[in-house]
Amino acid sequence: MKHPSFAQGIPVAPSLEPTLADDNVHPRVAPDKQRLLRMSLLAVLVAVTVSVVARLLVYLINLVSNLVFYGEASVGYHSPAENHLGLWVILMPALGGLVVSLMAMYGSKAIRGHGIPEAMEQILTNQSRIKPSIMYLKPLSAAISIGTGGPFGAEGPIIATGGALGSTLGQLIPITHHERKVLLAAGATAGMSAIFGTPIAAVFLAIELLLFEFSPRSLLPVALACITGAAGHHLLFEQGPVFEMPELAAPSNVALATYSVIGVLVGLASVAVTKIVYFIEDSFEKLPMHWAWWPALGGLAVGGIGYFAPRTLGVGYENISATLSGTAPLTLLLTLCLLKFASWAISLGSGTSGGTLAPLLTIGGALGALLGLAIQQYVPGADIALPLAALVGMAAMFAGASRALLTSIVFAVETTGQGQALLPLLGACTGAYLVSFLLMGNTIMTEKIARRGVKTPVDYEPDLLDKVSVERVLQSNMIAISTDNTIREVRAWTEREPERVAPHLVAVGPDGAFAGIINTMALASRQVDEHAPIGELLQPRTATVRATDSLRTSVECMARENVDVLPVLAVTGPPVVLGVISYRDILDAYKNRLEADGASAPHISLKRKGLRVLLRGQALMQAPRKRA
């Protein structure tokens, strides 16, 4: 019989060849467009619901605030800064913190904190499963906390609520955990878009802090949800920019450099802000009292600061508008930069229910305006505008504290409608991001979960397994065994030349057709009849991959079929077996990549393909393994 070679290929028996359509054998199929459409419709449904919940949450915050500070049952906005409670104002946030503690004790401890880190943790460790009770406990606790004077914004709680809604829907219907993650991210970002009317920034938030990937199956549902949330904002809240500010002129090159310097300085402040917040949180944990008392204790500090600086109480979106106007007095800027920060850091560190975005924007905007005033005073030629200095400070603070770079830039543009601010924002936020990256191991979003041993992805490069095809790492030294051989003959050959034996052998029939895979461990077993044909040791139903498939395809197929080697089929012409790929080949690919990243090692090279068949009564002559 003529020895078939690897270059010529071995025909595969039609009855044994698994087809690409057989999902039980080959896990990678064309994208399921119907499933993607279904997920998109579910994401839109979640976004519609979250938009309504966002409006109700704002009404609820206003109701609690009006009842506590003015004794009125009204859902209209009335700033708590105008209250006339006198010293009684000190007790209001403490009472609110006590109620939040009771809800955490008898409801769920997950309502504590600002929401995004908790959502990230569930995505990374619990297959995006969030307790359904968070859907109502989080907004209710946040309404009580903020309504009684807590220095937070409504965006954090609604992000957590939207994420819980998407996760709960994903637990009620039969979908994969990745699809559940998409629904969680869609609900969370739709909530942000509904509050601020910032769909593009919300999409970037999903990519940078929740999805940790960029693919159509994730991006399309989330984008549709964010668009729906923005429509809900325009319908249920208001038209136009959330934060009004004067029209900006195009900055000069000197001004651009100055704004970048402001971004670097604010980035340093963002590092300090993050470290102080977690220092306060650690300090609360050392107190000799039950954690349920911490929010009340933090509330007393909030109330005390609020007594002397009423503008630090409550949501305070009007404070952001004031800093962006460029006309805020110095005393207000100092109050927001120092006292608002102290109130927020103590309250958040105490473990109450709140958020981070609005306070960071307020503090950053005030700091940017203060830096702008100082630069105008001492560097007359800088030619900067105070409103723009406040805007870049606002965005840079969020960029440095969260490292959501693109989210910070686009959010500032969308909430103000100032396209001329794009270049200054890019320079300032990049500077803040760089400082944060160099000086902090984690961010204000990830420090808490990092302490619990949860690693947050920071790289978004394509997976190596997706970038390398099977044919580039295909084994060339695998041996094909004719099914005419007996177990005794093959066993004798393996004992005679053990260095040339692989863990698995390809078996071909008398006509050269692919017959299956033989495990050499089974070959060594003494419980089999050594006079029986080797075909009796064939593994049942062997899965295969194509030469042009990725290594990720191979890994998924190995995991699904519980095998560690796969025959590789040719793509064009008659289906032929080109060889086999094993998990060791995939590990070698990773090793080569690590060497290439660390030194001038060569890239993964295409291995020369060649196959020899051990026929009955014949010696094997195998070509040496080479690299092209």
Side-chain angles (χ1 to χ4, degrees), residues 47 50-59 61 146 153-160 187-199 202 226 228-234 236-238 240-243 315 317 357-358 361 411 415:
V50 171
S51 298
V52 175
V53 172
R55 178 74 267 187
L56 294 177
L57 174 61
V58 172
Y59 280 149
I61 293 174
I146 299 171
E155 70 289 332
I158 195 59
I159 287 174
T189 52
M192 174 182 173
S193 185
I195 291 291
F196 289 115
T198 54
C226 293
T228 305
H233 172 83
H234 296 150
L236 301 173
F237 289 86
E238 58 191 353
V242 174
F243 304 128
V315 175
Y317 288 143
L357 183 53
L361 298 178
F411 179 86
T415 53

Side-chain angles (χ1 to χ4, degrees), residues 467-507:
K467 295 192 295 183
V468 180
S469 63
V470 170
E471 64 182 352
R472 296 191 66 190
V473 295
L474 189 60
Q475 281 200 20
S476 62
N477 61 346
M478 295 304 295
I479 300 167
I481 302 296
S482 172
T483 53
D484 281 344
N485 286 282
T486 65
I487 294 176
R488 179 179 181 179
E489 290 170 334
V490 178
R491 185 183 292 167
W493 173 80
T494 61
E495 293 173 351
R496 185 171 63 251
E497 302 183 54
E499 71 282 355
R500 302 172 65 185
V501 179
H504 292 79
L505 303 174
V506 177

Side-chain angles (χ1 to χ4, degrees), residues 401-475:
S402 68
R403 289 192 206 143
L405 175 64
L406 300 178
T407 303
S408 305
I409 297 170
V410 177
F411 179 86
V413 173
E414 285 190 295
T415 53
T416 60
Q418 300 292 334
Q420 296 285 8
L422 187 58
L423 281 179
L425 286 169
L426 179 60
C429 291
T430 302
Y433 185 101
L434 177 63
V435 170
S436 173
F437 182 79
L438 293 177
L439 299 183
M440 281 199 306
N442 297 296
T443 70
I444 200 167
M445 302 296 182
T446 62
E447 176 67 25
K448 181 180 295 186
I449 60 177
R451 294 181 177 187
R452 299 171 185 164
V454 179
K455 180 176 174 58
T456 306
V458 294
D459 298 322
Y460 297 89
E461 64 176 335
D463 189 349
L464 172 65
L465 297 182
D466 263 336
K467 295 192 295 183
V468 180
S469 63
V470 170
E471 64 182 352
R472 296 191 66 190
V473 295
L474 189 60
Q475 281 200 20

Side-chain angles (χ1 to χ4, degrees), residues 169-190:
L169 178 61
Q171 295 174 63
L172 293 175
I173 58 179
I175 60 176
T176 67
H177 69 85
H178 177 273
E179 291 170 331
R180 191 182 306 116
K181 178 180 74 172
V182 171
L183 287 183
L184 187 157
T189 52

Side-chain angles (χ1 to χ4, degrees), residues 564-589:
D564 51 11
V565 295
L566 292 170
V568 181
L569 306 183
V571 178
T572 59
V576 295
V577 178
L578 299 179
V580 297
I581 184 171
S582 72
Y583 72 94
R584 293 185 179 276
D585 297 316
I586 299 172
L587 292 178
D588 285 343

Side-chain angles (χ1 to χ4, degrees), residues 69-367:
F69 291 101
Y70 302 103
E72 300 176 0
S74 169
V75 295
Y77 178 69
H78 195 180
S79 173
E82 302 173 5
N83 75 86
H84 301 287
L85 294 179
L87 289 173
W88 289 105
V89 75
I90 299 175
L91 294 179
M92 298 301 108
L95 292 175
L98 189 58
V99 174
V100 170
S101 293
L102 293 174
M103 295 178 66
M105 287 183 65
Y106 298 103
S108 173
K109 290 180 65 176
I111 65 172
R112 305 174 68 211
H114 48 97
I116 294 180
E118 289 74 20
M120 294 170 69
E121 183 175 18
Q122 297 307 310
I123 288 173
L124 294 170
T125 65
N126 197 30
Q127 295 187 340
S128 304
R129 293 187 176 94
I130 297 178
K131 290 182 179 180
S133 59
I134 301 300
M135 285 191 299
Y136 58 87
L137 287 177
K138 185 63 178 181
L140 184 58
S141 63
I144 294 172
S145 175
I146 299 171
T148 55
F152 308 108
E155 70 289 332
I158 195 59
I159 287 174
T161 303
L165 178 62
S167 174
T168 300
L169 178 61
Q171 295 174 63
L172 293 175
I173 58 179
I175 60 176
T176 67
H177 69 85
H178 177 273
E179 291 170 331
R180 191 182 306 116
K181 178 180 74 172
V182 171
L183 287 183
L184 187 157
T189 52
M192 174 182 173
S193 185
I195 291 291
F196 289 115
T198 54
I200 302 176
V203 171
F204 281 123
L205 180 75
I207 295 172
E208 293 184 299
L209 295 182
L210 296 174
L211 292 174
F212 310 113
E213 66 169 292
F214 193 91
S215 63
R217 62 175 183 168
S218 301
L219 183 62
L220 291 176
V222 169
L224 289 172
C226 293
I227 294 170
T228 305
H233 172 83
H234 296 150
L235 178 65
L236 301 173
F237 289 86
E238 58 191 353
Q239 299 284 339
V242 174
F243 304 128
E244 296 285 350
M245 64 182 299
E247 201 66 31
L248 300 174
S252 64
N253 288 338
V254 174
L256 285 174
T258 306
Y259 292 128
S260 298
V261 172
I262 291 177
V264 171
L265 296 176
V266 174
L268 290 170
S270 72
V271 174
V273 164
T274 302
K275 292 185 179 296
I276 291 173
V277 166
Y278 282 100
F279 171 78
I280 294 174
E281 184 176 296
D282 293 339
S283 299
F284 270 101
E285 292 181 353
K286 297 177 183 178
L287 293 177
M289 63 176 65
H290 193 274
W291 63 263
W293 294 106
W294 300 349
L297 187 61
L300 285 176
V302 171
I305 295 173
Y307 174 75
F308 295 101
R311 295 290 290 266
T312 62
L313 295 171
V315 175
Y317 288 143
E318 68 276 7
N319 294 328
I320 298 177
S321 298
T323 59
L324 294 177
S325 69
T327 59
L330 180 62
T331 53
L332 176 60
L333 296 177
L334 289 172
T335 296
L336 297 178
C337 187
L338 300 176
L339 297 183
K340 179 76 173 183
F341 165 65
S343 177
W344 166 70
I346 294 173
S347 185
L348 188 65
S350 70
T352 193
S353 179
T356 58
L357 183 53
L360 286 174
L361 298 178
T362 303
I363 298 164
L367 179 57

